[in-house]
Amino acid sequence: MPDFTDTLRPAGPGGPAILAKERDSSDVPVEQLAQHLFPSNDFLGRQERIVPILENNKLFDKSKQQNLSRPERYRLGLARAKQLRRYADQYNWEDEDLNVAQYLCDDVSPYMVHYSMFITTVREQGNEEQRSYWLPKIEAMEAIGCYAQTELGHGSNVRGIECQARWDPAKGEFELHSPTLTASKWWNGTMGRTANHAIVVAQLLVPKSAESKDYVNHGPHPFIVQIRDTQTHKPLPRIAVGDIGPKYGYAPMDNGYMLFDHFRIPHSAMLSRYSWVDPNTCTYSKPANPAVVYGSLTAVRASIIMHARLIMARAVTVAVRYTCVRRQFQDRDSNDKRAPEMSVLDYPTVQIRILPLLATMFALHYTGAAMQSLYENTRAQIDQGDFSKLAVLHAQSSGLKSLCTELAANSVETCRRALGGHGFGGGSGLIQLNNDYLSKPTVEGDNWMITQQTASYLIKRMSAAVAAKTEPQDEVEAACKEWLHQGHDKRSSPLQIFDSDEQLVEAFHRRSRYLTYQAYIEREVKNRSWNSLLIQLRKVSHAESQSILVTNFHKALQNPSSNLPPPLKAHLRKLFQLFTLYTLDSEARDFLKASAVSDEDLDRLPDRIQQLMAEIRPHAVNIVDAWKIPDFLLDSALGRYDGRVYEDLFNRAHRLNPLNKVTFNPYYTSDEIEMGGGDGELRRIVAKL
Amino acid sequence: MSTIPQWVKNLKPAGPQGTELLQQERNKSSVDVEQLSNFLFTKDGLARKQRVLEILQNDKVFDKSQNYFAGRVDRFETALARAKKLRQLHIKHNFSQDDKMVANELISEPGPYGLHESMFLITLRDQGTPEQHEVFLRKAEQYKFIGCYAQTELGHGSNVRGLETTATWNSDDKTFTIHSPTLTSSKWWIGSLGRTANHAVVMAQLIVDGKPMGPHPFVVQIRDMESHQPLENIHVGDIGPKFGYNTMDNGYLLFNKVKVPHISMLARFSSVDPKTGKYARPASPSLVYGTLTWVRSTIVMQAGGVLARGVTIATRYCAVRRQFQDRDAPEWQKGENQVMNYTTVQVRLLPLLATTFALHFTGKAMMALYAASQSKMSQDAGKAGGPQRGAGPEETNAGSDLLADLHATSCGLKSLASYTAVEGLEICRRACGGHGYSSFSGIGPWYADYLPTATWEGDNYMLTQQVARYLLKTARSVLKGVDPNTNDTTLILSTFLARQDTGAAFDVLGNDSDIVAAFAWRASFLTFEALKHRDEQKKPWNSLLVDFYRLSRAHSQYMIVKNFYETLQSSSPAQEGMGTETLDIMHKLFRLYALHTLEQEASEFYTSSAVTVRQIQLARANAVMKLLEEIRPHAVRLADAWAFPDWQLDSSLGRYDGKVYEDMFYRASEQNPLNRVTIDPYPDSPTLFKANEAAALKSRL
Ligand SMILES: Cc1cc2nc3c(=O)[nH]c(=O)nc-3n(C[C@H](O)[C@H](O)[C@H](O)COP(=O)(O)OP(=O)(O)OC[C@H]3O[C@@H](n4cnc5c(N)ncnc54)[C@H](O)[C@@H]3O)c2cc1C
Ligand SMILES: Cc1cc2nc3c(=O)[nH]c(=O)nc-3n(C[C@H](O)[C@H](O)[C@H](O)COP(=O)(O)OP(=O)(O)OC[C@H]3O[C@@H](n4cnc5c(N)ncnc54)[C@H](O)[C@@H]3O)c2cc1C
């Protein structure tokens, strides 16, 4: 409906003009930087191809989804998931195309676990026969599956799960059973409404011998189980399965619960590539090396880091563009009463929240890439059964998962809060991002827990280095040895962090070794209890992870094969310094104690950081542009490429908002709620509760 | 009509049961919950809460069980039904103001009458003349006029002087023309405006004879009293879904040259003479000062309770949740560890538990000081030439100086307290692991509704500039030799100056009052550092914003530590019947809050020489760890003392009886409308929902 608001324009200077000026006054080469960031796998090409396909289908229009109830969000999610899969057939998409399409659609798809954990588990844990039986069905989506490990009572402690798979030699079947309420499967994605199959992880109970009544528990094992009828899609008898209800985010995903009442499954249900129960003798054979699963976990974690950087990039893109367009107050120290208001990004208290994050996303990028190539390089060894390199990679990846997902999750909120009132609005584009991403600090290993794995590994290597009996087993142990050798107990002189990037990196190494050594002393020499050391161990892990981030960032800039043109390299170097010094500043005391930096240098840090921010500020828009996050994905009035912030906010409120289609009766003396609805309305509302 | 099979209904959680675990926790501790609750809320307050709770629980419209499932329009509709019902109950039961506040706390969702009941009525009352009270306020009090407070615009929020909406005086017909010249001048974010209000207080730039006079409030009718449709040339609506606050219709509003009569301009403090067209200047702004100070002090006090909700939920859940056996436990020791026993869980939750009390006491102390300053002011007013005077530290008028000090400190505390509550709630949520991510944790939705507190009533970062400005001003006056006893700020700054050269040797690990002194020292040190930057080195204001932020934070932390300490030190705990054992635990919470903060902000304490590096090391390695261990057994009871009814928490994880798993399962399987839907999962089939019993269920009722 046309009305007088159609002709209104925002007060000047307008967003487009502001952003154009920002873009013109920076010499950061956007295209070159984009190529540098996404060199492989044609990510940008795929994105360019797929965005128009989704934009042209109304089903993927995001403008009203925030208004929907939970069941409606799921319904929409299912419709989109189906459509994407049909596109994949129609356009002959590669897996990577479907991934990019899902990334752009930005729903946590109800098919997600089918495509990821379900198929991967069958591939990796199924024997040949199982794979050739299941994989075609899975790929054709006749079998739609989920991964049911976590239970109501146990998530982190997988060994503590209660669901049982009891081998019955007489009938030649397993019996799946949930003995308690806490044994209910819980949180398992795709299971609540969508899946007709599940990988069920259960305690494997096998009689001591074919005749024995005594059962031995061999621990959690995976079984592939049909859970719903393929025609009616109703749960099979003796299975109770459903959706667990609304969550902080993940609205389109049907995380589920599931219970078994003495449910029978065949011998072939147990995925048996590595472990196996002989149906006749009841003999159980174990996996050769438990490290087999490490491999894929490490790959998963490298991709978590690569994903985390894109999350940050999205949040920072919105924040940088909006805080340039948003103007508030004139400069206090200026006498020019006519001067336009300041872009809020020019306030250091805004910069200090956003610009270090701009630098951090590059840090994650280089480390994610390094982990991926490290993993690929060691793959050959893994396939030959040599896991020696994997142990360290795995330990490092645990700590990095914890630190990087924490940084990314917090960055979304930090950016959002830097946007004032409009950050809280649906047009910020950061709400669903926050809601969905905040699962990451918990899933794939709770962030406060898995740092213990990293610390435990580091302490072991430090112990070995102190004992010095054998040649170092890996680079970490070698570094510990080196550090011990340098005479850590005599006060080594602090490093010159402002003079040389190498020394700056070295400062991070020194502090990490120092903290590892302290933890080693506490645990191995003083025999302190593990539990009393948890907080310290987390620090050890974070220090090591930060040291890895800094090292990889530095290496990437030194790498001659990246062919960075010198002006771009100079910009990246500033980002490197900002990330590094900012991190150092927030952990200053550890660096001091490790005699990695001097007291005087620490005092100089805040000024240096503020100066770096001032230098980076004029290039912020171009730098985020280079991350090439399409408007379709941002779905943000504040972060639009063209800067038409206010027009978009108004359009969303005025034209796209279903609440405005209803006229309410606001007077308390009447029980009518909607104008013309009559007094019976209150009863209707109450009936729904 | 439930579809849950009997064998499922028969299942129990694996033992030990949540109820037993919480009982054990409660048995282990000697904290007297009742004493502590009384101390926090008074007996009357607790009884009031109980009484109102019963009234609400008896009315089906307040049933919360579908809140987490519904879409935006439904949620708003239900919220409106609740708002009406609450108003009806208010009249029926003759609610007092306190009763109503308690009812809102218990319902725990922003309602469509929210801004009518707060800012609209207050503004009419405070800024209207007696004649305007007659015309507007009376009808507003009867809810015939339903209003809102429309200040913020699409383009301007923090910078109120930058507002673009105009109100131009027409001397010929004695009217004002209200107009929105640009899109950015659209009112925005205005609570209760989107769908509910028929009137608005509109802040607009007053223009008289072509001269801008700055923003002024106008009462404008915006919707028809019968049809509730917008009036001609007024464009109004809801701004759409938000991070939280979705039960509130925050709105936008545009005017196309709308004429309003002379009486529309609220004229208690400034007015346009209808005959001469002359503009009369506003009297002292200090009255507004007062309201703002009061509002911010309320935010400080509420922040304690807001955070306590998250802490209560997380504390109870982490006592029920067990995961892994202790790594160092002997073989024979069976059973998993309550996750509350892990120090990485303790270090997240217990300092927050201490913080809840710290904020509560600080808020309370601020409110008391505010009341004292008000009565002092009226005394002063009797003596001197009336209340019409500015409030600056250079002037010596006890009441208003106190108020100026209070005003500045309340800015900093509002910023720190709401920041702390926001951050703390998210920490609590994450500490609950996977189940924290469920809406049934009750933390996520609560967090989302609380978030805007960090932005409104002064953006948390912006406010710190006002604190810094005040501290710098006070430091200058102290250097000029103002009486140290003018107020607390002059006192700590003078003390610092006097001892600066001899240095400080605070025994923060041994002596509680030294802790307070160390916090004062650090805040004073940072004040004089900032003063050096600004006055001696002449640095631009904007280059110092980060320093100002830190300064404000340091000062507010000092205030919190001081108020916590003084509350425990005063006679009131004993007077109100708190036993020594409970008081002893409270002292430990004080130390935990203070030393944990000190450790977090170590470098400032160290740089200012308030403490030595060695002391900081000891604070962390020994003192804090030991306090965690000592407080751990009392955690559940300390949370209990916050006295949240389950109905208010609306959380499976935070239930008083510990039936966490039963409740999670019940809500998921029986209250969840998605489970009434059978779907078609196959990509090739266009069918999505095959059968939807939920819809069938709805229409039958
Ligand atoms: C959105 C979402 C999707 C999911 N999808 C799936 C899925 O598809 N399939 C599936 O099987 N599971 C899934 N999960 C479950 C997920 O893997 C678990 O929630 C996760 O592993 C965390 O475990 P928990 O919930 O048991 O946390 P808990 O272990 O209960 O954590 C509670 C607290 O205790 C602490 N803690 C626990 N143990 C220790 C220790 N030893 N030392 C110190 N602190 C400790 C933690 O740090 C945390 O603060 C999903 C979860 C979510 C939120
Ligand atoms: C849920 C909700 C309800 C609301 N209800 C109402 C209502 O009923 N009536 C009403 O009138 N308003 C209402 N508001 C508006 C609210 O008061 C404003 O959003 C708030 O004042 C912040 O202003 P802003 O949005 O312009 O932030 P901005 O000023 O745009 O802030 C953006 C960023 O810039 C920074 N910044 C801005 N200026 C400076 C500076 N000088 N120095 C340093 N940094 C700076 C801020 O710190 C922030 O990071 C509501 C807002 C919300 C979210």
Side-chain angles (χ1 to χ4, degrees), chain A residues 148-367:
Chain A
Q149 173 175 301
T150 304
E151 298 175 352
L152 189 49
H154 287 90
S156 300
N157 182 13
V158 179
R159 292 214 196 142
I161 61 171
E162 298 175 72
C163 182
Q164 302 167 345
R166 192 179 292 268
W167 176 243
D168 177 348
K171 297 214 173 106
E173 291 172 336
F174 292 99
E175 188 183 278
L176 277 183
H177 185 59
S178 316
T180 62
L181 191 66
T182 35
S184 176
K185 292 296 167 190
W186 205 270
W187 275 120
N188 326 98
T190 309
M191 187 168 86
R193 302 277 84 193
T194 315
N196 55 22
H197 284 72
I199 303 289
V200 176
V201 179
Q203 302 283 0
L204 173 63
L205 302 174
V206 184
K208 272 204 175 122
S209 66
E211 297 74 37
S212 170
K213 288 265 173 290
D214 279 350
Y215 278 81
V216 182
N217 185 351
H218 294 288
H221 283 72
F223 298 81
I224 183 163
V225 184
Q226 183 178 343
I227 58 170
R228 285 190 174 92
D229 185 280
T230 47
Q231 293 302 316
T232 64
H233 204 60
K234 293 275 188 199
L236 297 182
R238 294 179 176 276
I239 291 183
V241 55
D243 170 272
I244 61 166
K247 294 149 296 200
Y248 192 73
Y250 267 53
M253 168 60 96
D254 54 324
N255 297 86
Y257 66 85
M258 180 158 66
L259 286 154
F260 301 98
D261 179 27
H262 303 284
F263 182 79
R264 299 239 154 206
I265 52 173
H267 181 261
S268 60
M270 178 170 150
L271 293 179
S272 299
R273 179 162 183 183
Y274 299 109
S275 35
W276 194 66
V277 175
D278 186 317
N280 302 315
T281 62
C282 294
T283 330
Y284 167 77
S285 47
K286 264 205 213 62
N289 183 337
V292 285
V293 280
Y294 275 11
S296 56
L297 252 182
T298 306
V300 166
R301 288 190 176 146
S303 68
I304 288 180
I305 300 170
M306 291 308 255
H307 178 238
R309 90 205 202 278
L310 289 177
I311 297 291
M312 286 187 95
R314 216 166 129 181
V316 173
T317 298
V318 171
V320 164
R321 289 185 186 152
Y322 177 65
T323 53
C324 286
V325 173
R326 183 71 169 176
R327 293 173 171 253
Q328 209 77 193
F329 297 103
Q330 279 154 325
D331 188 345
R332 259 180 89 95
D333 290 324
S334 151
N335 294 324
D336 179 4
K337 285 270 179 302
R338 295 263 167 88
E341 293 178 282
M342 308 238 309
S343 283
V344 296
L345 187 56
D346 288 325
Y347 296 116
T349 33
V350 174
Q351 291 173 0
I352 193 105
R353 289 178 276 170
I354 297 173
L355 298 183
L357 297 176
L358 180 72
T360 306
M361 67 209 210
F362 285 86
L364 298 200
H365 171 77
Y366 294 118
T367 286

Side-chain angles (χ1 to χ4, degrees), chain A residues 21 334 402 594 636:
Chain A
K21 204 166 151 209
S334 151
S402 175
S636 167

